Amino acid sequence: MYEICHHPSDPTLVAHAAGRLSPAAATVVRLHLELCATCRAAMREAEAIGGALLACLPAEPLGPEALARAMRRIDAADAAGRMGPPVPAAPPLTREVLAAQRLRWLAPGVRHCVVLDGTGGEVLRLLRVRPGTALPQHGHHGTELTLVLEGAFRDVAGHYRAGDVLEVDEETRHMPAAEGPTDCFCLLATQGRLRFDALLPRIFGLLVRL
Amino acid sequence: MACSGAQPAAAPEDWSGCILAIARAGDRAAFATLFAHFAPRLKAYFRRASALGDAASEELAQDAMLAVWRKAAQFDPARAAAETWIFAIARNLCIDRLRQMRAATALHATLEQWPEVPEAPCSSAAFERAAEQESLRRALQELPEEQLRLLRLAYFAEKSHAAIAAELGMPLGTVKGRLRMALQRLRGVMRGPDKATHDV
């Protein structure tokens, strides 16, 4: 398999280890981790740092009988039989689930689908772009994470292939373009709307709420 | 000082041993030892990370300790030190709680729980994890005050890095840069002197 060259930034990995990423961004990072041993190692270290920080936090006084209360809950759980783990609200988004999503036409050569629309303005979307098609030059309101699922695209910073993550922040303006023989299929986590330079895509962005 | 006025009550090896004793024999004395050290710190963690009040944070600390009891059999000292494992439990509880509070409208309201990605464990791994954690703790105490503060905010404050930057009156790039410096230093401690610069 292609060796992954582009990774989420260290601060993003720390935010993930700390549970601080939005569900949209966390999904992108989680799927990258499945493919990237380097970042899994970095993640393990980030969690170890979290553990060390937790063990060193100043203790806060507990209510009276805190331990006795915990013991009673253990007894109650034992009496009720082994309590299973909490049931997740929905099956996690796997690459298979994503590949099965129905995409809608967005622009010539571009189809998309919103997978997750968070209350904080963060959006997770799939984008399928025909080779040679470029997105209009744009900027961002927050951090944008793009994971290549299939195919490839190029950007000012280089070439991105399956498993690679492009992380850009508010200071970056770019115009990514799909390249290679097949469609580029990407998963994008954005915060807030994209900011297009030219008027036409700006109007277009308003219409489709990109 | 990272552990100012709050020296750990037991060595990390003992904490791992406590979790293993719970898994093996439902050892309540071991649970009490873990509870004494971690429950008050878990409460502090939930207060910072979830912005919940005193009572609700203590409830979450109770939930986390109950999860430690119930999941003890899943603990693998070759993969993580005790405090790292407990941190992961607390973090997942916190994600869960925040998600409930926000009640995001989503096609897939994914609970970003942490998949078990198996890394090949080796026989010396448990020892390495414990030693690593010990060095980490020492390194945290030697970290410049500002880097430690940023690190704590990054891990425990219910804020994005941008919000942290705004609160500290620093450019976002500076916050990220200093976070990177702190991480590189701690990684160096974990990996040994030669590999610290291998960065992503």
Side-chain angles (χ1 to χ4, degrees):
Chain A
M1 198 198 146
Y2 160 69
E3 193 186 334
I4 292 171
C5 295
H6 302 278
H7 309 271
S9 71
D10 273 342
T12 294
L13 288 178
V14 161
H16 190 55
R20 288 275 155 263
L21 287 183
S22 71
T27 303
V28 169
V29 174
R30 175 172 58 78
L31 291 172
H32 173 76
L33 287 173
E34 283 179 12
L35 302 167
C36 181
T38 308
C39 286
R40 282 203 298 278
M43 205 58 202
R44 198 185 62 69
E45 290 168 344
E47 290 187 335
I49 294 170
L53 285 168
L54 171 68
C56 289
L57 269 180
E60 283 206 14
L62 300 175
E65 300 285 293
L67 177 60
R69 214 149 61 78
M71 290 296 191
R72 279 198 298 278
R73 287 181 70 185
I74 286 172
D75 287 335
D78 281 350
R82 241 192 80 79
M83 282 158 63
V87 181
L93 287 168
T94 60
R95 271 169 290 161
E96 291 72 31
V97 169
L98 292 173
Q101 297 288 321
R102 281 176 64 111
L103 306 185
R104 289 181 299 114
W105 188 88
L106 179 66
V110 185
R111 288 188 297 147
H112 87 137
C113 152
V114 171
V115 186
L116 207 152
D117 198 348
T119 47
E122 75 278 4
V123 174
L124 184 67
R125 85 172 68 231
L126 286 163
L127 217 55
R128 189 177 276 283
V129 185
R130 235 176 14 222
T133 308
L135 294 186
Q137 169 99 3
H138 66 274
H140 311 88
H141 285 283
T143 305
E144 178 188 86
L145 290 165
T146 305
L147 171 70
V148 182
L149 296 167
E150 295 164 22
F153 73 88
R154 68 168 183 277
D155 197 2
V156 277
H159 299 269
Y160 294 79
R161 287 173 277 182
D164 278 336
V165 165
L166 166 65
E167 176 172 339
V168 293
D169 56 24
E170 337 206 326
E171 282 133 43
T172 312
R173 318 197 58 72
H174 69 158
M175 197 172 74
E179 63 176 10
T182 58
D183 285 356
C184 178
F185 187 40
C186 290
L187 185 66
L188 264 85
T190 48
Q191 296 166 350
R193 307 265 289 275
L194 303 185
R195 292 187 297 202
F196 291 105
D197 290 358
L199 183 61
L200 203 62
R202 208 146 67 202
I203 293 169
F204 174 73
L206 275 175
L207 289 177
V208 300
R209 301 183 52 78
L210 197 66
Chain B
M1 284 283 287
C3 293
S4 46
Q7 286 305 312
E13 291 84 3
D14 296 338
W15 294 334
S16 286
C18 287
I19 302 173
L20 293 172
I22 293 170
R24 214 173 33 240
D27 187 330
R28 293 189 177 223
F31 181 77
T33 304
L34 282 178
F35 193 93
H37 184 75
F38 283 103
R41 288 169 175 85
L42 284 166
K43 182 177 176 180
Y45 166 74
F46 286 120
R47 242 159 108 85
R48 290 160 193 237
S50 71
L52 287 169
D54 189 90
S57 300
E58 183 153 341
E59 255 341 278
L60 278 173
Q62 285 268 349
D63 291 350
M65 289 309 298
L66 196 66
V68 166
W69 175 270
R70 285 192 355 233
K71 297 181 176 181
Q74 293 168 27
F75 173 67
D76 177 359
R79 288 192 47 194
E83 55 264 57
T84 304
W85 185 71
I86 294 173
F87 167 70
I89 285 179
R91 173 200 61 200
N92 287 349
L93 263 177
C94 196
I95 291 173
D96 216 6
R97 174 55 62 93
L98 291 175
R99 191 177 56 103
Q100 286 167 8
M101 279 158 49
R102 289 193 198 108
T105 53
L107 203 74
H108 292 266
T110 318
L111 170 60
E112 279 304 325
Q113 283 287 4
W114 294 70
E116 296 289 307
V117 185
E119 298 285 346
C122 63
S123 54
S124 61
F127 176 76
E128 278 173 27
R129 291 295 90 77
E132 199 177 85
Q133 209 65 31
E134 186 54 45
S135 333
L136 247 188
R137 197 175 327 188
R138 238 175 290 125
L140 277 179
Q141 292 176 14
E142 287 161 12
L143 218 54
E145 189 60 46
E146 191 193 52
Q147 285 182 22
L148 181 65
R149 183 156 158 246
L150 267 180
L151 212 53
R152 278 190 167 162
L153 281 171
Y155 274 91
F156 298 146
E158 202 220 340
K159 287 186 183 77
S160 67
H161 293 157
I164 291 171
E167 188 179 296
L168 299 178
M170 280 180 195
L172 180 58
T174 309
V175 165
K176 288 185 176 178
R178 292 197 182 151
L179 251 183
R180 275 202 187 92
M181 270 165 64
L183 285 171
Q184 238 162 49
R185 200 154 154 165
L186 297 175
R187 272 195 191 134
V189 168
M190 281 187 272
R191 292 179 189 179
D194 302 333
K195 302 173 228 162
T197 48
H198 180 74
D199 201 5
V200 289

